Amino acid sequence: MFGMFKKKDPPPKPPKQFPPVLDWRPSVLQPLDQIVDRVRYYTDGKRDFAVFQCGTVAILPAGLSEPDAALHAKAALHNVFHAHPDMCPLNMDDGNVLVRYNHDVLTVVLKSIASQHWSEIEREHQRALATDEVLITPMGPNKFDEFGMKALFGRCFMFMDAQAPTVVRVERSVA
């Protein structure tokens, strides 16, 4: 009899996904040739690196064979994705933003692409946060200036590559 007055349990919350994924998948991919050129410039041509299909880069130990380079790059990206994907964005001297992660993984946000797609970046950047993620910036929690929005845009590519890791190029040092 008293069962009909008993409080009903709230519906269960959906399980949190781990590793987390982002809601935003940018409508553009950056040109890989330009990313390769910029990474070669940033490393003074002294490092081997692997490039994933959405432009994420993994810096490699020197001299790995092609299969070993791909395995190393995929393992590095896996380690970033399956831990807290801390990012350290830097403004570069050429106007681009370099987004660094642990395990020698990085993303380059090309100034020209960010400029061409600024309205999308400005409109969608909050969707580049994982569920329940809070990033503290000088402006406050989850408040981003232009630099922060570009960093989040770049981080989307790392998440996209981590969900389907495909190495499309291995670049060798030129020095």
Side-chain angles (χ1 to χ4, degrees), residues 35 39 43 47-52 55-61 64 69-78 80 101-107 161 167 169-171:
I35 290 172
V39 172
T43 62
R47 299 297 303 267
D48 291 354
F49 57 93
V51 183
F52 289 88
T56 305
V57 171
I59 304 297
L60 304 169
L64 292 178
L71 286 173
H72 181 90
K74 288 178 182 181
L77 184 56
H78 174 88
V80 170
Y101 314 95
N102 294 327
H103 308 286
D104 288 332
V105 174
L106 58 92
T107 307
D161 277 326
V167 173
R169 293 169 73 163
V170 175
E171 295 292 324

Side-chain angles (χ1 to χ4, degrees), residues 37-128:
D37 177 70
R38 294 297 76 204
V39 172
R40 193 172 309 288
Y41 169 72
Y42 300 148
T43 62
D44 294 325
K46 295 179 181 176
R47 299 297 303 267
D48 291 354
F49 57 93
V51 183
F52 289 88
Q53 64 186 350
C54 296
T56 305
V57 171
I59 304 297
L60 304 169
L64 292 178
S65 67
E66 294 282 321
D68 288 343
L71 286 173
H72 181 90
K74 288 178 182 181
L77 184 56
H78 174 88
N79 289 337
V80 170
F81 187 53
H82 287 83
H84 191 277
D86 291 327
M87 67 174 176
C88 180
L90 301 166
N91 274 315
M92 303 306 284
D93 63 3
D94 57 3
N96 298 326
V97 174
L98 178 70
V99 184
R100 296 182 308 161
Y101 314 95
N102 294 327
H103 308 286
D104 288 332
V105 174
L106 58 92
T107 307
V108 176
V109 177
L110 299 167
K111 178 182 177 182
S112 60
I113 299 300
S115 294
Q116 290 171 10
H117 297 274
W118 184 248
S119 63
E120 178 184 358
I121 294 168
E122 196 170 33
R123 182 180 64 249
E124 304 293 345
H125 73 277
Q126 288 288 328
R127 292 179 52 217

